[in-house]
Amino acid sequence: MTGRYRYDRTSQAWWWSPEMFTMHGLPASSPPPATDEYLRYQHAEDRARILEAIAQACADGRAFALETRILRADGRQRSVVLVGEPQLGPTGEVAAVEGMCVDITDSRPAGTADRTRALEAEVEQMRAAMASRAAIEQAKGILMLLTGCGDQVAFDLLAHISSHTHRKVRDVAEVITQSAAGSMRLPADVRAIIRDACPPTQPLR
């Protein structure tokens, strides 16, 4: 099971996906816990490491990946990998930490070396997924601005472009964000599809 979370540095508020609540043995309708409440669900030996990792991510933009232990509401212990990626605000400061929590309790290889390699592979896959998600969210925002559409329609447009240009959705998202940043022009096939979806007054690079 994989859950997602977001920690807002300014408000110190947390957002949890439904999977995070399930992983911690809490009803999905529960409010996200505050930091001190969240730490109560962590093994006592892991709490300081988690706090330090989040503090460093906020202070200097350092990503982290930790193997920690959850103490569920029902008392059961689960082993997880907690990954955090700093998210920058408009002025370049760390505004939030977003990440994933993956339950690895039932998928541990028996040998220590195998376990380490599997954990490293899992972390790399999670980081790649997070990078892909970030690019897609940015591209969706650009398409929403250009076309005046909503979140779901923007994603559907990304998927449509992906299908018709034979590119991965992440690759489509990256060329759109790079174009918006002025670092490249949109490929002609991507440009043509977006032009058809844009109001005539919205320029494309």
Side-chain angles (χ1 to χ4, degrees):
M1 177 182 294
T2 300
R4 294 185 295 113
Y5 72 88
R6 176 182 173 88
Y7 170 71
D8 187 285
R9 184 183 183 187
T10 301
S11 66
Q12 299 185 357
W14 290 77
W15 171 86
W16 278 14
S17 71
E19 294 81 6
M20 283 289 284
F21 290 99
T22 301
M23 199 178 301
H24 287 75
L26 298 169
S29 58
S30 304
T35 301
D36 58 344
E37 295 171 323
Y38 169 60
L39 290 174
R40 285 203 289 268
Y41 292 105
Q42 311 307 310
H43 193 285
E45 295 177 0
D46 296 335
R47 292 169 187 166
R49 292 192 303 127
I50 294 171
L51 269 180
E52 181 181 4
I54 294 172
Q56 287 183 338
C58 291
D60 56 22
R62 184 182 306 179
F64 61 84
L66 305 174
E67 184 176 355
T68 69
R69 290 158 291 182
I70 285 176
L71 299 177
R72 287 169 44 97
D74 59 12
R76 288 187 295 164
Q77 179 175 302
R78 307 292 294 179
S79 295
V80 303
V81 176
L82 185 68
V83 176
E85 294 280 349
Q87 304 296 311
L88 301 183
T91 59
E93 80 289 357
V94 176
V97 178
E98 292 187 1
M100 295 181 179
C101 186
V102 180
D103 190 331
I104 60 170
T105 307
D106 301 324
S107 58
R108 289 172 170 270
T112 301
D114 288 344
R115 176 172 169 272
T116 300
R117 284 193 293 270
L119 179 59
E120 290 173 348
E122 187 80 42
V123 168
E124 288 306 312
Q125 289 173 4
M126 285 189 289
R127 284 182 168 162
M130 290 174 65
S132 176
R133 175 174 169 265
I136 289 170
E137 290 300 319
Q138 288 179 330
K140 280 167 53 181
I142 293 166
L143 291 176
M144 289 165 67
L145 181 64
L146 285 174
T147 66
C149 67
D151 182 270
Q152 184 59 52
V153 173
F155 181 80
D156 291 344
L157 180 55
L158 279 176
H160 175 75
I161 296 170
S162 169
S163 174
H164 284 73
T165 64
H166 307 291
R167 291 179 172 86
K168 295 180 180 178
V169 172
R170 177 184 176 179
D171 293 340
V172 173
E174 287 179 345
V175 298
I176 290 173
T177 55
Q178 289 171 9
S179 172
S183 58
M184 66 171 290
R185 288 182 62 83
L186 281 172
D189 50 355
V190 175
R191 182 183 176 87
I193 295 173
I194 296 179
R195 183 188 293 115
D196 289 342
C198 283
T201 56
Q202 294 293 338
L204 287 174
R205 296 188 67 87

